[in-house]
């Protein structure tokens, strides 16, 4: 294949960005090449138009082995997208994907990284279009869809490319090995070391963050020489289909097979992910979703390296604070953002029943709960602001859980429906806050299960020590993507750290300003730890990339 | 605990060695801190005496939770060792091991690396004693037991420590994160990152290379903050028991719990490895042995990261050579060393039935086989040299396979018994070379199974192309720790490389001198690839260490 974009051009264009990303993951200082403010992007109007032009049409990717077309997406804001995507015949598609791999392997780690960065750059230039696609599949409000689905997702993709690159180049391409033999001639070998791919990487996307959760695995597998098959969530195919299209364009222009990145969308109820996950050609799987299917993949897809992010129960231990209002407003925001439909949203707030010390005086458990409810009401009192923060409920299951929540305990803050000015069919709801007694065994069923969506539990605890013990048990048995803590006590702080170190959970302490427990920044924060039941991988570390390829050595006499 | 050896002392003593190891794995040039010649060590006489003083005694390690004593080792050279080792009550032992982990974690990656290097240095100083222990458990001849069981094993342990160290320090201990907010004050967080252990690492040792195959996992797990429980092969407990004793001494002297490294020896037929492998405290497993039990561990020990080295079928493709005598003598040595009882010994020699071009003229298949048989006979014609190369058969299973081999095809070279001058009960055998026809389906059962021991097959192939195809199928379906090739053709060389890149196998080309396909050098060669069925891990790379720990972040407002 002839290359319309040469490797030299791509290196000139992107090597500096890669080097900056490598620096950032080493220092963990703030850095991003992709601005997060919509006004930084020129494509607002054409992005919206480009998104709208996709609706109601077949999304052709010119892939081999397409035996059918399928698509059933309906926006949480109420419109049918009407887009149809390729449904694969794996017996044709997978061999075609494999056929492109030797040339992709031979290109080496730097060329692969540069192609990945070109894909990300072109996605970035179309961030407005992607934002609309993410909004109308995930139900996120526009600004969040723009940021989390755009630059923040691109950051996580770039971070994965950086880790993949550095992991591959830690072994040199060649070496000369000369072993002294006393008086005899030394032994002398020439050695070459080649990073070789595992096979096909399967990315199984999720409904809520199709790009943010999809990009790390996609780019980590591609950058390490694998082909990548993207199986999106059937309700959130469009953003990943757009991603696949850009990847195929760039690969072809750079002289590689476009079939190194393909899309496979399932027919309703087909269970295509199971079929694909067990194919011998699939050697890496990245999955975000339910614990049940994540466990199934880990148990059954034994031919593959399986990276999973599953369910967890996120806890905030509230012990004391020197900024009571800051704590309340920070927590209120965390509970409200995207209606709590983040894997990082706090669910259980553990509060001593005899109250907490604050800069505003001692506050009883009831006062804390009432004040938090008030903070949420204040934050979401204006419908416009509520819509901008909450987004829409992503699917009927979330709505059903929200509606069942009042039956679990005493409601401290009821959920209310918010009318959306532009999309009357959108299901927009404020969070419900339910009081539970941590000393009562019958409350355990509620607070020790993930209740994904806008449902939070204010759990009354006998003491902070009990709260730490429940935190430990929750992380160990149920997993957690995030842990929060508020305390002015060095001893409690150390106790929180000790639990998180021992149970492998990421801890945010005393957040009262504009950083929230449910948000992580690429290049600096780890997303998940990979060490508790919520996820077997962290975004992004060496373990996330190191087993996606193998190093093959060829040695010969020099 | 008070430390008799301070961290500062250990850093002065070993930091330079660690830095040199880090350099070596980056350049893959020859390096080792541990001399391989027995004369480099002063402890020859006292080492032998120390080994002999252990025989017939209880090997007390002062471990908690010892409910019994057990030991049934009989040297392949014919003597009963008569040593008894602790048998554990896991309910007491495992919690005691965990209790030492927080302090070990808090010590950090550098201190842990230094303690590991002190353990290795003390083992190194007793290499003669270890050599006797390895010889009388594995059956290796003394020189091999000395080198492979001593400095080469220590090299692999140090290599694992180096990889573990660098993997943990790629994330800084602390970071300041300052995110600009336009006209508002920047967001400012202080972050800490801590490498936290998984839990208890279980090392399941093998019969043939107790230290060489045991040290990588032991030191990789220990250096990443885990406690390590060593469950040796019941026939090869002593070298690992001695290792555990040294580790416990050093840990205690450095102020850590000695119970961070413990030994668990099983009663005959007990299946202790299964019991331990499923304990929830065990989060990492390193195993070398049969495919059946390796697969069982991968399938069932789901709570743990499982690293396995299993069976494989190693192939040498003989296409052509410009050094016929060099090729024959190199292959003869590879087949003879330790009676072929290495996971890296070639088993199938694929030779075109119409012969090969050599510097000594065209050689038919029959001539090549006859000449190779002659080379083996020449190498092993002298009983003293034969004993020094072959060692003893490690167990009756190997002997049974050797005795059954003549039934598989035409014998080109019969095995002969070699008398041992010092140990009359030693079972010493030269290898058997059996001719098979690669075009006959009924021969497949023989050449597509691992026949561990001194059995090699000269497989007649229709062409080199067919040989490459059989090589591919063998690696893909059965796995391979090593692949060899002899060719003067650039095209065949490229074909061999392509198969090895696609199927993830380590390739040695045209070895005719003092380097053998079955030997790898730490810091330069990878042992296995981790990408074919023979092993899911390579010694040693990033993937071997990266998932043995997790990074826990704590972030708080600055």
């Amino acid at each position: 294949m002839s290359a319309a974009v040469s490797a030299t051009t791509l290196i000139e264009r992107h090597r500096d960005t890669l080097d900056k990303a490598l620096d950032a993951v080493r220092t963990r200082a703030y850095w991003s090449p992709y601005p997060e403010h919509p006004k930084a992007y020129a494509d607002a109007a054409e992005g919206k138009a480009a998104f709208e032009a996709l609706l109601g049409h077949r999304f052709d990717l010119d892939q081999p082995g397409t035996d059918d077309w399928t698509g059933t997406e309906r926006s949480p804001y109420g419109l049918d997208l009407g887009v149809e995507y390729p449904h694969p015949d794996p017996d044709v598609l997978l061999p075609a994907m494999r056929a492109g791999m030797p040339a992709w392997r031979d290109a080496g780690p730097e060329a692969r990284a540069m192609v990945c960065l070109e894909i990300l750059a072109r996605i970035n230039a179309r961030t407005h279009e992607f934002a609309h696609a993410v909004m109308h599949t995930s139900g996120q409000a526009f600004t969040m869809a723009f940021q989390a689905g755009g630059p923040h997702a691109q950051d996580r993709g770039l971070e994965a490319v950086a880790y993949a690159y550095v992991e591959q180049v830690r072994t040199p391409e060649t070496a000369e090995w000369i072993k002294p033999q006393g008086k005899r001639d030394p032994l002398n070998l020439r050695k070459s070391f080649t990073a070789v791919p595992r096979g096909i990487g399967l990315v199984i996307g999720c409904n809520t963050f199709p790009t943010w959760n999809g990009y790390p695995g996609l780019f980590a597998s591609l950058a390490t020489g694998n082909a990548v098959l993207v199986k999106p969530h059937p309700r959130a195919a469009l953003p990943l289909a757009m991603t696949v299209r850009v990847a195929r364009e760039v690969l072809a222009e750079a002289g590689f097979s476009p079939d190194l990145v393909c899309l496979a969308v399932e027919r309703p109820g087909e269970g295509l992910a199971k079929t694909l996950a067990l194919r011998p050609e699939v050697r890496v799987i990245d999955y975000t979703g339910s614990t049940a299917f994540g466990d199934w993949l880990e148990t059954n897809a034994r031919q593959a390296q399986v990276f999973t992010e599953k369910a967890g129960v996120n806890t905030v231990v509230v012990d004391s604070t020197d900024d009571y209002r800051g704590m309340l407003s920070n927590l209120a925001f965390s509970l409200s953002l995207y209606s709590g439909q983040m894997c990082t949203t706090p669910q259980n707030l553990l509060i001593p029943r005899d109250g907490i010390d604050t800069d505003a005086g001692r506050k009883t458990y009831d006062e804390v709960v009432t004040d938090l409810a008030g903070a949420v009401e204040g934050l979401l009192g204006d419908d416009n602001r509520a819509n901008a923060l909450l987004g829409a409920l992503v699917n009927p299951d979330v709505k059903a859980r929200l509606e069942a929540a009042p039956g679990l305990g005493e409601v401290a803050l009821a959920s209310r429906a918010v009318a959306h000015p532009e999309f009357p069919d959108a299901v927009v709801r404020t969070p419900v806050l339910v009081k539970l007694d941590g000393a009562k065994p019958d409350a355990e069923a509620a607070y020790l299960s993930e209740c994904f969506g806008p449902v939070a539990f204010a759990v009354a605890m006998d003491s902070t020590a009990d709260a730490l013990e429940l935190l430990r048990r929750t992380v160990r048995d149920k997993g957690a993507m995030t842990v929060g803590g508020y305390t002015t006590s060095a001893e409690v702080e150390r106790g929180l750290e000790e639990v998180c170190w021992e149970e492998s959970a990421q801890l945010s302490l005393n957040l009262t300003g504009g950083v929230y427990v449910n948000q992580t920044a690429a290049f600096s924060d780890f997303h998940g730890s990979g060490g508790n039941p919520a996820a077997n991988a962290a975004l992004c570390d060496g373990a996330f990339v190191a087993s996606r390829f193998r190093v093959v050595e060829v040695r010969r006499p020099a």
Side-chain angles (χ1 to χ4, degrees), chain A:
Chain A
M1 268 166 274
S2 69
V5 185
S6 74
T8 317
T9 306
L10 291 179
I11 290 171
E12 278 170 19
R13 213 178 273 173
H14 300 302
R15 178 73 220 198
D16 183 57
T17 304
L18 178 64
D19 287 337
K20 288 195 172 116
L22 293 172
D23 274 350
V25 298
R26 271 193 295 266
T27 65
R28 316 304 291 184
Y30 171 78
W31 180 75
S32 168
Y34 309 121
E36 65 182 359
H37 200 289
K39 287 186 182 157
Y41 295 83
D43 67 324
E46 70 203 76
K48 188 157 192 278
F51 163 71
E52 286 166 353
L54 295 171
L55 304 182
H57 289 93
R58 182 164 283 188
F59 199 100
D60 198 351
L61 287 161
D62 197 22
Q63 289 181 182
T66 297
D67 64 5
D68 196 1
W69 295 84
T70 182
T72 54
E73 289 162 297
R74 180 175 168 83
S75 166
Y77 290 95
L79 55 138
D80 284 317
L81 302 196
V83 187
E84 281 194 330
Y85 307 95
H87 179 278
D89 174 354
D91 290 334
V92 178
L93 181 61
L94 300 186
M97 294 179 71
R98 281 185 60 89
M101 283 171 49
W104 185 234
R105 174 199 73 209
D106 290 346
E110 188 182 33
R112 286 195 293 270
M114 294 300 108
V115 168
C116 289
L117 264 64
E118 177 69 14
I119 296 169
L120 285 164
R122 293 200 196 176
I123 290 170
N124 176 255
R126 290 163 61 180
T127 293
H128 271 280
E129 183 185 347
F130 274 86
H132 289 284
V134 170
M135 174 179 172
H136 283 289
T137 49
S138 71
Q140 290 173 25
F142 180 78
T143 303
M144 183 174 179
F146 188 95
Q147 295 186 336
H152 296 172
Q154 296 150 20
D155 280 342
R156 284 288 179 196
L158 172 56
E159 181 187 54
V161 173
Y163 269 95
Y165 172 78
V166 83
E167 193 68 31
Q168 293 172 90
V169 300
R170 63 197 288 185
T171 305
E173 286 178 37
T174 58
E176 194 174 354
W177 182 85
I178 303 171
K179 181 175 177 180
Q181 295 291 291
K183 291 169 199 154
R184 287 172 293 152
D185 285 345
L187 301 174
N188 192 339
L189 295 178
R190 264 189 312 128
K191 303 182 177 185
S192 75
F193 302 94
T194 305
V196 304
R198 286 279 189 180
I200 293 175
L202 174 66
V203 175
I204 305 175
C206 71
N207 197 171
T208 46
F209 290 91
T211 56
W212 199 98
N213 277 97
Y215 283 5
L218 192 169
F219 284 101
S221 280
L222 190 61
T224 47
N226 302 281
V228 178
L229 181 57
V230 179
K231 207 299 289 177
H233 192 283
R235 293 173 179 274
L238 187 56
L240 288 174
M242 291 161 57
T243 302
V244 169
R245 179 176 276 172
V246 173
R248 293 174 62 82
E249 280 167 9
V250 173
L251 283 162
E253 285 181 37
F256 299 101
S257 166
D259 298 329
L260 287 166
V261 179
C262 288
L263 184 76
V265 175
E266 67 187 327
R267 300 192 192 99
E270 178 190 12
L272 178 59
K274 277 196 180 186
T275 310
L276 295 175
L278 298 183
R279 291 286 302 207
E281 301 95 331
V282 169
R283 302 295 304 276
V284 182
I285 297 175
D286 287 274
Y287 168 74
T288 310
S290 73
T291 294
F293 191 57
D295 288 347
W296 184 90
L297 287 170
E298 291 174 22
T299 305
N300 292 284
R302 307 302 314 285
Q303 85 291 356
Q305 308 288 307
V306 180
F307 300 90
T308 56
E309 186 186 319
K310 302 175 285 192
V313 175
N314 302 319
T315 298
V316 176
V317 173
V318 180
D319 168 73
S320 51
T321 179
D322 57 12
D323 181 2
Y324 187 57
R325 304 255 47 106
M327 177 184 86
L328 294 173
S329 66
N330 188 282
L331 282 175
F333 187 94
S334 285
L335 299 180
S336 303
L337 184 64
Y338 187 28
S339 301
Q341 297 170 116
M342 300 174 74
C343 57
T344 50
T345 303
Q347 174 178 306
N348 295 341
L349 314 174
L350 310 188
I351 307 164
R353 69 176 80 249
D354 64 356
I356 66 170
D357 285 326
T358 83
D359 57 317
R362 184 87 185 165
K363 299 288 179 182
T364 65
Y365 165 82
D366 281 329
E367 285 171 325
V368 174
V369 175
T370 304
D371 291 344
L372 178 59
V376 173
E377 284 182 315
L379 180 69
L380 304 175
D382 173 73
D383 276 6
N384 280 339
R385 190 159 66 172
N387 275 303
L389 259 184
L390 294 167
L393 297 194
V394 66
N395 63 45
D397 291 345
V398 174
K399 185 160 173 274
R401 277 192 295 270
L402 172 64
E403 287 167 353
L408 299 170
E410 181 191 339
V411 174
L413 171 68
S415 175
R416 75 177 176 91
V418 179
H420 197 287
E422 193 181 349
F423 301 106
D425 289 346
V427 180
V428 182
R429 295 288 186 277
T430 65
V432 63
L433 182 60
V434 176
K435 289 162 102 169
L436 297 173
D437 189 333
K440 288 198 179 150
D442 59 351
E444 227 185 78
Y447 65 69
L448 276 187
S449 308
E450 188 188 55
C451 189
F452 188 78
V455 179
F457 300 119
V459 187
M461 304 300 299
D462 285 343
S463 66
T464 295
D466 280 2
L468 291 178
E469 212 30 61
L470 177 56
L471 168 65
R472 180 189 296 275
R473 192 152 62 93
T474 305
V475 177
R476 182 179 293 175
D477 296 347
K478 301 296 166 180
M481 295 301 291
T482 59
V483 172
Y486 290 91
T487 184
T488 57
S489 151
E491 190 190 334
V492 172
E493 193 171 311
R494 174 70 198 198
L496 280 160
E497 288 181 315
E498 194 59 47
V499 170
C500 290
W501 288 330
E502 292 192 7
E503 305 302 332
S504 265
Q506 308 298 9
L507 174 62
S508 296
L509 278 172
N510 297 320
L511 297 183
T512 54
V515 177
Y516 305 96
V517 66
N518 33 347
Q519 293 181 321
T520 62
F523 312 109
S524 183
D525 294 322
F526 291 100
H527 174 73
S529 77
N532 70 57
N536 76 359
L539 303 178
C540 186
D541 62 7
F544 188 67
V545 297
S547 60
R548 289 175 196 262
F549 68 99
R550 303 278 73 201
V551 177
V552 169
E553 175 184 351
V554 180
R555 57 181 188 171
R556 37 168 77 80

